Amino acid sequence: GNFRRDVEGDNGDNLGVTDEDIERYQGNFRRDVDATINLGDLAKKLPSACAENNGRASFASYLPPSLVVGATDDFIVDKEGVEETARFFDVDPVFVDSPHDVMLTNKWQNGADALLDWLERDISA
């Protein structure tokens, strides 16, 4: 993939991510290559494949509180994927203004704020 494109999207804004940051991140990601995932095989085993007709997990009512976050400028996980995941967990998805790698750009605060809001609203209550 093209990490720079994933971060910048179509507008060319680097969101505070320098070339040195990308080099460091990609070095970290390279270590993950040793633990590759067969996506074809994984797709056959996804929990959502055994969801009820409404897309909800049969055990959703027994789960602890869950937060599903999507990024508005995500080129990797689309809106439908985030919505499907949220439906599976029987929660409303939260979308933040960010690219896919929420925590790696100068928009990280948007993800942190969404998490804090959820903690204060749904966990602290």
Side-chain angles (χ1 to χ4, degrees):
N2 184 328
F3 188 82
R4 172 65 66 196
R5 187 215 49 165
D6 294 340
V7 169
E8 292 178 1
D10 294 328
N11 66 11
D13 180 358
N14 72 8
L15 302 174
V17 179
T18 66
D19 289 339
E20 292 78 22
D21 291 332
I22 289 178
E23 188 174 321
R24 187 175 76 251
Y25 299 154
Q26 288 180 325
N28 293 336
F29 296 149
R30 274 192 285 280
R31 290 185 299 202
D32 295 339
V33 171
D34 293 334
T36 58
I37 297 172
N38 179 330
L39 295 178
D41 184 55
L42 177 64
K44 297 174 197 170
K45 298 174 183 173
L46 289 175
S48 58
C50 60
E52 297 175 345
N53 288 338
N54 62 4
R56 185 175 173 264
S58 59
F59 52 85
S61 61
Y62 300 105
L63 293 172
S66 301
L67 174 65
V68 174
V69 178
T72 57
D73 297 325
D74 196 330
F75 291 95
I76 297 172
V77 179
D78 60 17
K79 181 180 180 184
E80 292 78 15
V82 174
E83 290 170 341
E84 178 183 337
T85 301
R87 191 170 37 258
F88 186 75
F89 286 100
D90 197 27
V91 298
D92 293 324
V94 173
F95 288 90
V96 297
D97 176 24
S98 176
H100 176 76
D101 296 303
V102 176
M103 66 290 184
L104 299 181
T105 72
N106 63 4
K107 291 188 173 187
W108 67 267
Q109 189 72 46
N110 297 339
D113 288 343
L115 176 59
L116 182 60
D117 289 347
W118 176 75
L119 287 169
E120 291 175 346
R121 182 186 66 242
D122 293 346
I123 304 302
S124 297

